[in-house]
Amino acid sequence: MKKTAIFPGSFDPFTNGHLDIVLRGLLCFDKIVIALGSNTTKERYFDILMMKDKIASTFSSNNLVSVEVFEGMTVDFAQKINANYIIRGLRNTIDFEYEKNIAQLNKDLTNKIETIFFIASPQNSFISSTILRELHKNKQSIVKYIPYSL
Ligand code: ADP
């Protein structure tokens, strides 16, 4: 059976840290669906469809990676596309505490999906979408930290 994983997130914006997780995920899974959650209560900085296109362009030569926008619960979307795994990244203990609760909740919602964590590579540990948004708002270049041009 093919192992399909989803990598859900806001990706506001998608960073080199996220890229690293996808590339390492490909060593473990047959297919990865990067799933941009559209949370109607959370206002985005980068337009979701623009970001979807940027991520798709990043992986245009790799047919094992696709990009989707979804609404609602991650586990529901995972099941809809027949993914049995959720990929998430961990940079520090703050990520760990947050991710642990979500993974345990998701496990409680359905036993069919397993969350797999990748520890951030040291060179990407300090990169966060929040920091990149702050840089961008302050007219600083973020090209060093993203795998596409803006
Ligand atoms: P969310 O809004 O769902 O937390 P993000 O887009 O911020 O989504 O992040 C998606 C996932 O990528 C999360 O599991 C997060 O911990 C992880 N992540 C974010 N930045 C990095 C990084 N630099 N290295 C590794 N993982 C990361």
Side-chain angles (χ1 to χ4, degrees), residues 3-143:
K3 283 193 166 74
T4 301
I6 71 164
F7 182 29
S10 314
F11 305 118
D12 188 22
F14 189 87
T15 71
N16 286 339
H18 296 130
L19 173 69
D20 182 56
I21 300 299
V22 175
L23 296 179
R24 289 162 58 201
L26 284 172
L27 303 174
C28 308
F29 300 102
D30 299 304
K31 195 180 154 202
I32 295 179
V33 178
I34 300 170
L36 285 108
S38 73
N39 184 342
T40 42
T41 59
K42 198 169 149 192
E43 211 181 308
R44 292 184 63 92
Y45 180 72
F46 291 100
D47 180 74
I48 196 163
L49 293 179
M50 182 273 267
M51 192 49 58
K52 179 182 185 243
D53 284 351
K54 294 290 179 188
I55 303 170
S57 72
T58 304
F59 295 99
S60 59
S61 60
N62 191 333
N63 60 11
L64 305 178
V65 179
S66 60
V67 193
E68 302 280 351
V69 170
F70 76 101
E71 270 176 51
M73 303 290 292
T74 304
V75 287
D76 291 339
F77 182 67
Q79 282 176 297
K80 189 173 151 198
I81 62 168
N82 293 319
N84 296 105
Y85 302 92
I86 293 173
I87 296 176
R88 295 286 285 179
L90 296 175
R91 286 161 293 186
N92 48 44
T93 54
I94 301 167
D95 279 351
F96 173 80
E97 291 298 336
Y98 175 73
E99 297 289 343
K100 173 176 74 74
N101 287 344
I102 296 184
Q104 288 174 340
L105 168 71
N106 284 339
K107 194 74 183 171
D108 206 48
L109 292 171
T110 172
N111 216 11
K112 293 191 189 126
I113 295 173
E114 200 61 57
T115 304
I116 309 288
F117 295 102
F118 289 84
I119 299 286
S121 297
Q123 69 274 19
N124 294 321
S125 263
F126 68 97
I127 303 175
S128 72
S129 297
T130 309
I131 288 178
L132 297 201
R133 288 197 299 275
E134 281 309 307
L135 286 173
H136 196 264
K137 277 178 203 164
N138 287 290
K139 312 246 180 295
Q140 300 292 313
S141 169
I142 61 169
V143 289

